[in-house]
Amino acid sequence: MKNADPGPARTDPPARVSASFVLLLGVFLGTLTGFAEVGLLFALSQLGDRMVFLGRHAAWMRPAVEGAVFVIAGLLLLAFLGARRWSARLDVTLGIYLLLATVAGLQLVPQLHPLARIVLAAGASLQLARWLSPHLVGRDRLVKRAGAAAISCVVVLAATWTLGPRTLERRSLAALGPAPAGAPNVLLVILDTVRASSLSVYGHERPTTPFLETLAREALRFERAISPAPWTLPSHASMFTGRSTHELSADWRRTLDAEYPTLAEYLRENGYATAGFVANLGYCGWESGLGRGFIRYEDNPVSFRQAITESSLLNTVVDHRWFKTLVGRDENFMRKSGDEVNRAFLDWLRGQPENRPFMAFLNYYDAHDPYQPPEPFRSRLATGASRGRMSPLHRWNDDPFNPLPADSIIRQEREAYEGAIAYLDQKLAELVGELEHLGRLDETIVIITSDHGEEFGEHGVYDHGNSLYIEGIHVPLLIRYPPRVDGGRVRVEPVSLTRLPATVLDLVGFESAGPFPGGSLMESESEAVRSDVSYSPGLPDWFPVSRGDMRSAIRGPLHYILNGDGTEELFELSTDPAERWDLSERTEYGAALLRLREDVR
């Protein structure tokens, strides 16, 4: 007798889960995703001192923020299902969370095309959800415990990362040895991306720096101070160590290593309380290596802006051009304002004993693109067309076809840039005024300079870090210290910012320059001033640095540039300050050219 046909196989209905299960699962998987990102980025950072731009609080902020993103996704899912009177399916819920997790992870692989990331993430999350769903059926208690454990772990890490540095700071201050008798304070102010030619104190026709013009009457001003590099990290590294950039590890993706001592380390060893307050949270952040020697180093704050940068998912959205166009504003979340830098420094200073000298480093970032000066500075130096919140030149630089921007776009960007400089000038006035109010100004060596300049199409390129033309390396430099520096003087010969550490030790009163080469700027020296920038892959072909490492030397009025492909350029700055005429083929400059070639070997 034949067996009866059992009919079609029964399939169990999809497992349904409660709203609390959905949210707790989101907490656990989101937090786990954040921890996985931190682990991966930390592993990458250990490969040759590589920079991955992990924030100081990333160990707890990234898991916390990714957990919050997943919970928001869960709430949106529940709201969608509730509107249709449906209950949540386990496999769908798990699939959505795993899709977010894999997309977040693949964002850390920039070589992948965005579409490829989405396809890979969708395929991986679908397979994982199918495999994992049956194992979570009826495991409500396990999921609740996992969610609670994730929250507890984040809270413990947050407390450790927040309270630990303050405890270490107190101990470090207590362990400081005696400082030299009568040693002055040192305040090093670096105006990120501020070129000398856009400052009225350097002859610019628009009133961008009225306060610096006043300060220059009490300071030594260097007419031709030259940055050792046309971008942030190597330039700061040189100013801190006294070494040329080609001697240092600091580069596009590498941090400053500990081979050479820094000014902060040396002064700390000699009894100084040291502190750094930076607004450039990327290339000046704690990961960069620039914080070595500072007892306190304030970079990435615990804030909403920082929370966005600590989420691969959120950061991808807010950094995309279409999102910026939608909200009508360019924004760089890896920055702080001049107000925030001033406030942090002055709060720290008021807590320091007056009988111990301090060395403080302040980095301002407001003149870096996108140029977003607040009112009234945006309007004060701008025409009506320049008062928007988007950066047309920044958008043009992202265009792979590179149509030349119109003159109106260049003017618009320059006016916004100059408005940002005017804002910084006001912040400097407030800073110096408060130092004077506290009675500490005249006992402080005040150094105001910049790490590099900015280009606005003078040689067909924009931004910085892509060439060695004068607009990118000519920076302001003023030193005010009445006991040793005569106010109102101007030095016209070219000088390098690599000599700042030796200069500080000279002004403080040390008998030698210690470990810092180059000699003090208080002594006149006739020497070649060198600048370098290294090749970075992925830059547009029209950038000069795309042809390879570049070197330049300024000796007297002559500026020599050696391009990566071996071609040379030579300009005479005294008669051609805008570098319009290349003299490298002129026979009468042959001897000078030979000497300049030796200067960049």
Side-chain angles (χ1 to χ4, degrees):
M1 182 178 178
K2 293 183 179 180
N3 294 330
D5 185 0
R10 284 180 52 191
T11 58
D12 293 329
R16 305 283 173 171
V17 290
S18 65
S20 61
F21 184 96
V22 170
L23 297 180
L24 286 170
L25 183 63
V27 169
F28 173 66
L29 291 179
T31 306
L32 187 64
T33 298
F35 280 124
E37 290 176 25
V38 171
L40 177 59
L41 288 170
F42 179 77
L44 290 174
S45 73
Q46 301 307 298
L47 301 176
D49 297 323
R50 184 183 177 195
M51 288 194 70
V52 294
F53 304 105
L54 266 177
R56 182 186 296 272
H57 297 277
W60 68 269
M61 277 192 76
R62 191 171 284 259
V65 175
E66 296 294 29
V69 170
F70 277 50
V71 167
I72 291 171
L75 289 171
L76 292 174
L77 173 64
L78 291 173
F80 174 79
L81 296 175
R84 287 161 176 74
R85 300 174 184 261
W86 295 343
S87 58
R89 285 175 48 172
L90 175 59
D91 55 349
V92 173
T93 302
L94 191 58
I96 290 173
Y97 286 148
L98 291 175
L99 177 63
L100 291 175
T102 48
V103 167
L106 291 174
Q107 292 303 318
L108 305 179
V109 187
Q111 294 82 1
L112 282 177
H113 190 278
L115 182 59
R117 292 192 198 118
I118 294 174
V119 171
L120 285 173
S125 59
L126 177 63
Q127 295 303 318
L128 280 171
R130 285 177 176 173
W131 174 78
L132 196 56
S133 293
H135 299 281
L136 290 180
V137 174
R139 300 293 181 92
D140 296 50
R141 184 175 298 178
L142 176 64
V143 170
K144 290 178 181 179
R145 287 177 178 174
I151 293 172
S152 299
C153 189
V154 168
V155 170
V156 169
L157 284 173
T160 302
W161 250 258
T162 303
L163 301 177
R166 291 293 182 261
T167 302
L168 181 61
E169 180 182 344
R170 287 193 296 270
R171 291 176 179 174
S172 298
L173 287 171
L176 285 176
N185 308 309
V186 178
L187 178 61
L188 174 59
V189 176
I190 298 180
L191 309 174
D192 208 306
T193 322
V194 171
R195 66 183 194 175
S197 60
S198 289
L199 276 59
S200 53
V201 71
Y202 278 83
H204 188 51
E205 65 276 7
R206 311 183 80 201
T208 53
T209 53
F211 169 71
L212 287 182
E213 291 176 55
T214 301
L215 187 72
R217 302 188 194 113
E218 306 171 359
L220 171 60
R221 182 172 68 84
F222 293 83
E223 183 66 26
R224 193 168 290 164
I226 302 300
S227 170
W231 68 284
T232 296
L233 180 55
S235 180
H236 277 77
S238 285
M239 284 187 274
F240 285 7
T241 63
R243 302 281 173 172
S244 296
T245 60
H246 67 278
E247 301 176 77
L248 301 171
S249 61
D251 212 336
W252 294 108
R253 299 295 288 186
R254 292 195 63 203
T255 62
L256 175 64
D257 61 25
E259 181 175 357
Y260 298 107
T262 66
L263 178 62
E265 283 181 308
Y266 191 82
L267 291 178
R268 177 176 174 176
E269 290 169 1
N270 284 274
Y272 272 72
T274 56
F277 304 88
V278 300
N280 183 338
L281 304 179
Y283 280 115
C284 287
W286 70 277
E287 184 192 4
S288 67
L290 297 178
R292 186 156 43 89
F294 290 102
I295 295 173
R296 178 181 292 192
Y297 196 75
E298 290 195 14
D299 51 0
N300 303 74
V302 179
S303 65
F304 175 74
R305 289 178 306 175
Q306 185 60 25
I308 289 176
T309 66
E310 292 295 357
S311 167
S312 297
L313 296 168
L314 291 179
N315 201 36
T316 299
V317 172
V318 301
D319 199 43
H320 201 280
R321 176 59 55 185
W322 67 260
F323 179 83
K324 294 179 178 181
T325 302
L326 178 67
V327 300
R329 178 186 175 96
D330 271 314
E331 186 55 275
N332 179 350
F333 288 94
M334 295 292 286
R335 72 195 301 165
K336 291 188 292 192
S337 71
D339 266 329
E340 292 173 283
V341 173
N342 278 4
R343 186 163 53 250
F345 164 66
L346 292 170
D347 286 347
W348 172 83
L349 180 61
R350 292 186 185 102
Q352 300 304 304
E354 293 191 13
N355 60 352
R356 180 174 294 282
F358 68 82
M359 182 270 183
F361 153 58
L362 276 60
N363 163 272
Y364 294 90
Y365 198 59
D366 302 88
H368 193 287
D369 76 289
Y371 317 117
Q372 299 276 329
E375 293 294 356
F377 302 97
R378 169 166 287 273
S379 300
R380 183 178 298 172
L381 299 174
T383 61
S386 302
R387 296 175 186 169
R389 304 300 287 176
M390 293 295 290
S391 171
L393 189 56
H394 206 211
R395 184 163 59 249
W396 169 84
N397 263 338
D398 289 341
D399 187 347
F401 300 104
N402 188 36
L404 290 175
D407 290 343
S408 60
I409 290 179
I410 299 172
R411 186 188 71 251
Q412 185 173 342
E413 287 291 87
R414 286 190 63 168
E415 289 176 348
Y417 174 70
E418 291 171 0
I421 292 173
Y423 167 77
L424 283 175
D425 186 71
Q426 178 63 35
K427 295 302 110 180
L428 290 175
E430 295 170 6
L431 175 71
V432 172
E434 188 60 26
L435 280 176
E436 187 170 25
H437 174 72
L438 295 172
R440 310 200 72 168
L441 178 59
D442 286 342
E443 61 187 36
T444 301
I445 301 166
V446 178
I447 302 173
I448 299 175
T449 186
S450 174
D451 55 345
H452 57 81
E454 189 82 321
E455 297 188 60
F456 288 94
E458 291 87 354
H459 293 86
V461 290
Y462 300 83
D463 208 350
H464 55 266
N466 48 49
S467 82
L468 288 174
Y469 294 115
I470 197 67
E471 292 84 7
I473 57 175
H474 181 204
V475 295
L477 176 59
L478 296 92
I479 301 178
R480 183 195 186 277
Y481 182 49
R484 291 283 310 276
V485 178
D486 293 333
R489 291 198 301 124
V490 178
R491 288 266 296 277
V492 297
E493 70 272 18
V495 297
S496 174
L497 297 186
T498 57
R499 295 171 62 185
L500 284 179
T503 303
V504 168
L505 297 196
D506 178 23
L507 292 174
V508 167
F510 287 99
E511 293 182 357
S512 72
F516 306 115
S520 171
L521 288 170
M522 296 300 103
E523 306 164 358
S524 295
E525 292 186 15
S526 177
E527 62 175 1
V529 177
R530 176 168 173 165
S531 301
D532 297 79
V533 62
S534 61
Y535 167 78
S536 178
L539 292 177
D541 292 341
W542 61 90
F543 282 12
V545 77
S546 66
R547 291 175 268 166
D549 296 351
M550 297 180 66
R551 290 167 276 175
S552 86
I554 296 177
R555 184 181 284 277
L558 296 179
H559 182 199
Y560 168 75
I561 299 175
L562 177 62
N563 292 297
D565 58 2
T567 58
E568 300 173 306
E569 296 173 82
L570 183 67
F571 304 97
E572 185 156 359
L573 298 174
S574 57
T575 58
D576 179 25
E579 297 184 336
R580 293 188 179 93
W581 300 291
D582 180 10
L583 307 173
S584 59
E585 300 294 330
R586 299 272 292 271
T587 56
E588 62 266 36
Y589 288 94
L593 201 59
L594 287 173
R595 189 178 186 187
L596 287 161
R597 285 171 184 159
E598 290 297 318
D599 290 331
V600 299
R601 282 190 180 276

